[in-house]
Amino acid sequence: MAKFVLAGRADCPYYAKAELLADYLQKNLPDFRVHKITQHPHVWEEWLKDLCEKNKWSHKKSPIIWRELLDRGGEGLLLGGYNEFLEYAQLYYGVTSSMTTELMKIIAQENLETHIEKELEEETKKDLIHPLQVWITSASVPACYNLIPILTSGEVFGMHTEISLNLFDNKQAEENLHVIVAETRDLVAPLLRSISICTRVEDAFLQAHVIIILDENTDQEVYTLEDYIRSRLPLCRLYGYLIEKNAHDSVRVIVGGKTFVNLKTVLLMRYAPNVAHNIIAVALGVEGQARAALARKLRTTSSCIKNVIVWGNISGNNYIDLRKAKVYRYESAIWGPPNYSRPVLSLIFDSDWVNRQYVETLKKLTATGKQFGAILSAHSIATTLKYWYHGSPPGEIVSLGVLSEGQFGIPEGIVFSMPVKFENGTWVVLTDLKDTEISEQIMTRMTSDLIQEKLVALGDLISFQPYQSETDIAKSDEKTSLPTTYNNQENQRVSDDSEDKSVEEQQIN
């Protein structure tokens, strides 16, 4: 019996042609058998390389065809690619293929679609056998209480993905955790396989597929800024160690909350380097506040406003960019279908509101954490996770804190909120957006604080000095400085916005 193995890239036209010829031979020859293997285009080259190294073959194109020596055992005998298989069929069986190039391409596309469908089916089966392990830190905080019903609804991970929730917190919070567990079980959520409590540090993040980092509870209310920054390091170092040691290799880590979000994210990346590419910071809460403020001004709903970009420090010095913002379904003299939109800035004629009141309102919200409650935090985390797993809406811009690689002139090595889109289980920074340049002064203001936070946390800088423009310095010389305290919030000193006015005015012009 002649048994051949036909392997190829799922979208390869030559694989499609060889497959049809092999099917014909198998149907008409009693002693001819073929086993077919397709690989997704993204993994084909690596799979082929590993196969050839294992069998000591030299082959670099799709398809690859070999004969299994069933009668003698041992390794397979490499036949080659499509041309070699065609010659073999002509020589031994007098059969050839007359498939046209156009038909080859059509079948190749069908093969790719079928392959993707089979992969999804396999993932679904795995999820039914092995539920998704979701860990939530500081699980006694209110944000977790609001997050659990969303996670167990199927809206985030899919209606066919069962999950196991693991609530992680300190021993003092155990009683509160038991209350949350009891209420969660009362939900009778069909996708919730189990829910458990963990207060033993060494057991944290065991086999975790998803880790959600929330703001931790603390009884201490007054910090110097530098002490508060440095206090983030031991926790992130511990979490990073535990993630590397206990979590699944493909774990996804999402950092939420309203205090030092960028700093915690970059420290986790430092201490969990093997999964650093899968650690992100949630910026949708700040984006939601910005969209809601615009909606109140325009007398519409915030869901109708899209493409508001949050640049910089999610929980500190950031810049809300409205140059790409659009409003849909806006009731005015001009009306269109549901997909019709208008630029937000063309509908706001009060330039003073945009340049001053709007900016000041959002800065105060960020500095004090007001209105950024548990519901908003939970919804922002859940929405970001949903986009990460299933993709963001086509054409929409999403704000996300990711590690800078120098995009948009941002210094490398800091976590910075910037515009992205989610697709295929990951995200892509939208570096091709036009008219998104940020002035040097605005960029310096945002990056200065982020760089200093990192240096202070690592002990390379003794004191933190909030960025001040020349205008700020001149003003500060005219008045007496007052001592500042910090109540679990990031740098509550609200700087004067005069240096930003020119850029904000460019938005409206």
Side-chain angles (χ1 to χ4, degrees):
M1 177 181 288
K3 182 176 180 181
F4 289 85
V5 180
L6 171 61
R9 208 178 62 216
D11 63 344
C12 174
Y14 292 100
Y15 172 84
K17 194 169 184 177
E19 178 189 28
L20 188 66
L21 178 58
D23 287 344
Y24 176 84
L25 292 173
Q26 182 170 251
K27 182 179 179 181
N28 291 278
L29 300 174
D31 293 330
F32 187 96
R33 292 291 180 268
V34 62
H35 174 65
K36 293 178 283 188
I37 302 173
T38 57
Q39 295 292 337
H40 195 282
H42 292 164
V43 302
W44 163 253
E45 289 186 4
E46 184 177 352
W47 183 87
L48 179 62
K49 180 181 177 182
D50 292 342
L51 176 72
C52 290
E53 287 180 355
K54 178 182 177 181
N55 294 283
K56 299 179 181 180
W57 293 339
S58 177
H59 191 85
K60 297 182 178 180
K61 293 182 179 180
S62 173
I64 180 172
I65 304 163
W66 69 91
R67 182 176 176 180
E68 292 194 345
L69 306 179
L70 300 180
D71 54 340
R72 287 176 290 166
E75 296 179 354
L77 179 65
L78 177 65
L79 185 62
Y82 164 74
N83 289 330
E84 289 77 10
F85 182 59
L86 190 65
E87 291 175 2
Y88 185 92
Q90 288 176 325
L91 179 63
Y92 284 91
Y93 307 114
V95 178
T96 187
S97 174
S98 59
M99 183 186 294
T100 63
T101 302
E102 193 63 33
L103 184 57
M104 287 166 60
K105 292 180 179 179
I106 293 173
I107 295 178
Q109 182 60 36
E110 291 176 352
N111 282 345
L112 178 59
E113 293 172 359
T114 302
H115 179 83
I116 293 173
E117 288 177 3
K118 290 174 96 174
E119 283 187 333
L120 292 174
E121 288 177 4
E122 290 298 321
E123 287 298 321
T124 301
K125 291 177 182 178
K126 288 179 182 178
D127 291 338
L128 292 174
I129 301 172
H130 304 291
L132 197 71
Q133 297 290 333
V134 179
W135 283 75
I136 305 176
T137 71
S138 306
S140 62
V141 302
C144 177
Y145 193 85
N146 290 272
L147 183 60
I148 288 174
I150 308 176
L151 296 178
T152 58
S153 68
E155 178 184 344
V156 176
F157 304 112
M159 298 304 298
H160 301 289
T161 302
E162 291 191 343
I163 67 172
S164 286
L165 283 177
N166 304 272
L167 308 183
F168 176 53
D169 213 322
N170 55 45
K171 190 70 174 177
Q172 291 73 21
E174 189 169 3
E175 185 177 346
N176 289 335
L177 295 181
H178 281 294
V179 172
I180 296 174
V181 168
E183 290 198 41
T184 302
R185 286 173 177 158
D186 290 344
L187 287 175
V188 197
L191 296 177
L192 180 63
R193 177 75 70 86
S194 65
I195 181 169
S196 61
I197 293 170
C198 177
T199 57
R200 286 168 49 90
V201 172
E202 57 269 28
D203 295 335
F205 312 139
L206 283 173
Q207 295 303 308
H209 297 104
V210 176
I211 299 174
I212 301 170
I213 308 291
L214 299 179
D215 283 333
E216 63 279 2
N217 268 324
T218 177
D219 295 330
Q220 296 175 292
E221 293 188 356
V222 179
Y223 296 89
T224 65
L225 179 59
E226 289 78 10
D227 286 343
Y228 192 77
I229 291 174
R230 293 188 189 102
S231 70
R232 305 305 91 197
L233 181 68
L235 186 66
C236 291
R237 182 167 53 202
L238 174 63
Y239 281 0
Y241 166 76
L242 293 170
I243 290 169
E244 292 272 312
K245 179 175 178 285
N246 295 339
H248 194 274
D249 292 340
S250 62
V251 64
R252 304 185 187 195
V253 183
I254 184 165
V255 183
K258 57 185 178 182
T259 58
F260 292 98
V261 176
N262 297 55
L263 175 62
K264 289 187 292 187
T265 306
V266 78
L267 290 177
L268 283 172
M269 292 175 175
R270 179 184 181 90
Y271 294 111
N274 292 328
V275 296
H277 60 286
N278 263 2
I279 304 177
I280 60 174
V282 178
L284 287 186
V286 179
E287 182 184 316
Q289 290 179 327
R291 291 165 62 180
L294 289 171
R296 289 192 294 269
K297 181 67 174 177
L298 293 172
R299 297 182 180 179
T300 186
T301 58
S302 54
S303 63
C304 293
I305 296 174
K306 311 287 186 183
N307 298 350
V308 173
I309 303 173
V310 178
W311 296 92
N313 192 344
I314 296 165
S315 51
N317 241 329
N318 52 50
Y319 169 50
I320 307 300
D321 191 348
L322 305 182
R323 288 172 290 181
K324 298 296 180 183
K326 297 178 180 180
V327 58
Y328 293 79
R329 301 188 297 277
Y330 187 64
E331 295 186 11
S332 65
I334 302 175
W335 190 253
N339 61 347
Y340 174 73
S341 65
R342 299 174 68 185
V344 166
L345 291 175
S346 69
L347 297 173
I348 300 178
F349 302 102
D350 187 351
S351 60
D352 186 66
W353 181 86
V354 172
N355 298 329
R356 298 176 188 275
Q357 186 178 341
Y358 178 65
V359 174
E360 185 67 25
T361 298
L362 294 178
K363 282 187 176 292
K364 286 181 179 178
L365 289 175
T366 299
T368 62
K370 291 180 179 179
Q371 297 184 19
F372 196 91
I375 294 176
L376 177 57
S377 180
H379 184 266
S380 303
I381 292 168
T383 303
T384 305
L385 274 173
K386 177 183 177 181
Y387 290 168
W388 201 350
Y389 273 83
H390 304 291
S392 52
E396 284 192 25
I397 299 172
V398 180
S399 300
L400 185 70
V402 298
L403 187 66
S404 169
E405 297 178 353
Q407 307 97 323
F408 307 105
I410 302 165
E412 296 183 18
I414 58 174
V415 169
F416 201 90
S417 179
M418 59 184 80
V420 307
K421 66 176 178 180
F422 286 90
E423 60 181 9
N424 300 324
T426 186
W427 66 89
V428 178
V429 178
L430 299 176
T431 54
D432 56 348
L433 285 179
K434 296 180 180 179
D435 302 322
T436 56
E437 295 79 10
I438 300 176
S439 73
E440 183 178 351
Q441 194 172 43
I442 295 280
M443 184 64 75
T444 301
R445 172 173 63 82
M446 292 188 291
T447 58
S448 173
D449 287 358
L450 288 171
I451 293 171
Q452 285 192 80
E453 285 178 5
K454 183 178 177 181
L455 292 175
V456 170
L458 295 174
D460 296 328
L461 188 65
I462 297 175
S463 62
F464 180 93
Q465 297 295 329
Y467 173 78
Q468 288 185 307
S469 67
E470 294 179 2
T471 306
D472 293 325
I473 296 171
K475 287 186 177 182
S476 65
D477 290 340
E478 298 174 2
K479 55 189 178 183
T480 304
S481 298
L482 297 176
T484 306
T485 60
Y486 300 86
N487 182 14
N488 295 341
Q489 302 299 334
E490 180 169 356
N491 193 4
Q492 292 186 14
R493 287 171 282 189
V494 180
S495 62
D496 182 79
D497 295 309
S498 57
E499 74 271 24
D500 298 342
K501 291 174 185 174
S502 60
V503 174
E504 301 293 346
E505 288 167 357
Q506 289 174 13
Q507 292 186 333
I508 199 73
N509 293 332

